[in-house]
Amino acid sequence: MNKKTLRVSPKSIERLGVYRRVLQQERAKQKTHIFSHQLAMLCGNNAAQTRRDLMAVGYEGSPSRGYDIDALCRAISALIDGEDKCVAVLVGVGNLGAALLEYVEKRCPHLRIGAAFDSDHAKTGRVLCGVRCHSVDEMDEVIKRNGAEVGVIAVPGRAAQEVADMLASSGIKGILNFAPVALRVSKNIYVEQIDLAVALEKVAYFTRRKDYVKKER
Amino acid sequence: MNKKTLRVSPKSIERLGVYRRVLQQERAKQKTHIFSHQLAMLCGNNAAQTRRDLMAVGYEGSPSRGYDIDALCRAISALIDGEDKCVAVLVGVGNLGAALLEYVEKRCPHLRIGAAFDSDHAKTGRVLCGVRCHSVDEMDEVIKRNGAEVGVIAVPGRAAQEVADMLASSGIKGILNFAPVALRVSKNIYVEQIDLAVALEKVAYFTRRKDYVKKER
DNA sequence: CTGTGTGAAACTCTTCACAGCA
DNA sequence: TGCTGTGAAGAGTTTCACACAG
């Protein structure tokens, strides 16, 4: 209903991805419509927040019917996926890299992992989840050939900055970094950091804070 | 300087984990003191935020010397680790589970992964990163024997809710969930959700938003 | 009624800016 | 001077609560 991209908050973007996944599951169960409180419950948040998030996508539901699942899915996709498929590359095909390939190949048809890289020659040349693993020497050439925009760093910490520099010089514009290192990259590259060890520490901390009580449903 | 645990924000807790890691690295380089802006730079944020976070730990630096690295490390640990080691268990020893074991065993001496579980009998009985993998049938017994408080769910989505129920009934009080499913658990269990596919979608989205410009640093 | 969309309040997190100390 | 600790402002996020619609 509005001018489209008017600035959607990061948190909303994350949740919209979750909504879409849940909507696709419901659609597979032959459901055609859903109310905000039902969707909220399936996603683990509350109805007000769900409606607020959906405001951003510019699709309006009906008070009597709720949201048309199919139309809402398309509206969300129009907002978060771009016009064309986004191509990403993975650097570091260890356990974590392989896990990411599985998750993404199964669940993100609108994203494509175009290639993977590893310094271990035992891995180069192999194909995992449909993605070919190249030597890091070929990184620049392969990234440019695929027109990749996003890089995922799943290498040990000591190698992460060097990989980030290589990605940046090949024209990558966004990085998802699993290495426990703060990357130093130019301002126009978006970086998202996920640190598994810190995440677990956080859970341990809040688990022990006896005063913690979850808010609602 | 204050009454200790007066309520530290989740974001601060995450960053404190990062500060500690960086401080340990600096200590290994024989440095004894550090200023807030140096620590901030190494962690990828700014000095004001770093000082604000450190307020919570109840250790004061000196304007001339900065922070004593060793003392600050201990103060952070006193805040985020409890009195005794926290024990966690891992359910699902696939690629992701194995990656987590590596990360945590290397970098979290104050946490212990007491056991792992998998439904695949080819994996049970084996030992990865010093952690023994059990059959899921033994979950209740092993969790109680180890006094585990935290559970990590790294199984496929369809199995996640069932695993969460088992963990809850064995007395687990906090869950780190990698399955792309909103868990339904009782209010007094803390749940932290990490969804790799959604994380990548988010990076793809912000990478493409040309108007995005990183703030500083 | 029971639902949606949304202004406005409430809450959380980040940044500014400055007093005070060595 | 150049740093720390922190009140206060600002930015971002969530929740409330209500007008309106079928």
Side-chain angles (χ1 to χ4, degrees), chain B residues 121-187:
Chain B
H121 288 279
K123 286 174 187 154
T124 60
R126 311 198 55 212
V127 176
L128 271 98
C129 298
V131 177
R132 174 169 299 273
C133 181
H134 301 260
S135 155
V136 285
D137 306 330
E138 307 173 66
M139 199 184 302
D140 187 66
E141 189 257 314
V142 173
I143 286 175
K144 284 172 178 159
R145 174 151 45 82
N146 281 273
E149 298 168 88
V150 170
V152 179
I153 299 181
V155 301
R158 63 184 174 284
Q161 181 61 54
E162 190 191 351
V163 169
D165 294 341
M166 292 170 75
L167 289 172
S169 78
S170 298
I172 286 290
K173 287 283 172 267
I175 293 177
L176 175 56
N177 178 33
F178 289 96
V181 173
L183 300 178
R184 308 197 100 259
V185 294
S186 91
K187 291 199 211 320

Side-chain angles (χ1 to χ4, degrees), chain A residues 14 20-21 82 84 86 95 102-103 107 110 149 174 178 180 184 195 197 201-202 207-208 217, chain B residues 14 20-21 82 84 86 95 102-103 107 110 149 174 178 180 184 187 195 197 201-202 207-208 217:
Chain A
E14 277 177 39
R20 175 166 60 175
R21 182 185 72 222
D84 41 342
C86 179
N95 283 316
E102 281 172 28
Y103 270 73
R107 297 226 331 273
H110 45 284
E149 299 167 87
F178 289 95
R184 306 200 100 259
D195 186 322
E201 279 175 355
K202 182 182 172 191
T207 296
R208 283 156 163 235
R217 180 65 318 271
Chain B
E14 278 177 39
R20 175 167 59 174
R21 183 185 71 223
D84 42 341
C86 180
N95 282 316
E102 281 172 28
Y103 271 73
R107 298 224 331 273
H110 44 284
E149 298 168 88
F178 289 96
R184 308 197 100 259
K187 291 199 211 320
D195 187 323
E201 279 174 356
K202 182 182 172 191
T207 296
R208 282 156 163 233
R217 177 75 329 266

Side-chain angles (χ1 to χ4, degrees), chain A residues 168-208:
Chain A
S169 79
S170 298
I172 287 290
K173 288 283 172 268
I175 293 177
L176 176 56
N177 179 33
F178 289 95
V181 173
L183 300 179
R184 306 200 100 259
V185 295
S186 91
K187 291 199 210 322
N188 51 15
I189 297 185
Y190 176 87
V191 178
E192 177 86 14
Q193 180 84 30
I194 295 185
D195 186 322
L196 299 186
V198 167
L200 187 57
E201 279 175 355
K202 182 182 172 191
V203 174
Y205 177 80
F206 284 103
T207 296
R208 283 156 163 235

Side-chain angles (χ1 to χ4, degrees), chain A residues 27-155:
Chain A
R27 184 168 50 185
K29 295 182 203 157
Q30 318 303 331
K31 290 199 61 175
T32 64
H33 290 77
I34 194 167
F35 292 116
S36 63
H37 66 266
Q38 299 172 314
L39 181 54
M41 203 251 278
L42 293 167
C43 298
N45 61 178
N46 63 325
Q49 179 153 78
T50 299
R51 292 203 302 275
R52 172 76 54 187
D53 289 333
L54 294 187
M55 277 177 69
V57 313
Y59 169 75
E60 306 216 341
S62 121
S64 50
R65 222 83 49 67
Y67 301 91
D68 178 305
I69 290 180
D70 216 66
L72 183 53
C73 263
R74 283 200 306 278
I76 293 175
S77 294
L79 177 71
I80 61 183
D81 311 337
E83 308 286 288
D84 41 342
K85 257 195 182 183
C86 179
V87 179
V89 296
L90 167 67
V91 188
V93 190
N95 283 316
L96 190 72
L100 190 100
L101 284 180
E102 281 172 28
Y103 270 73
V104 172
E105 287 298 302
K106 261 189 226 156
R107 297 226 331 273
C108 297
H110 45 284
L111 283 176
R112 193 165 68 81
I113 308 275
F117 302 95
D118 204 292
S119 57
D120 178 355
H121 288 280
K123 286 173 187 155
T124 61
R126 311 196 57 211
V127 176
L128 270 98
C129 299
V131 177
R132 175 168 299 274
C133 181
H134 300 262
S135 155
V136 285
D137 306 330
E138 306 173 69
M139 199 184 301
D140 187 66
E141 190 257 313
V142 174
I143 286 176
K144 284 172 178 158
R145 173 151 47 80
N146 281 274
E149 299 167 87
V150 170
V152 179
I153 299 181
V155 301

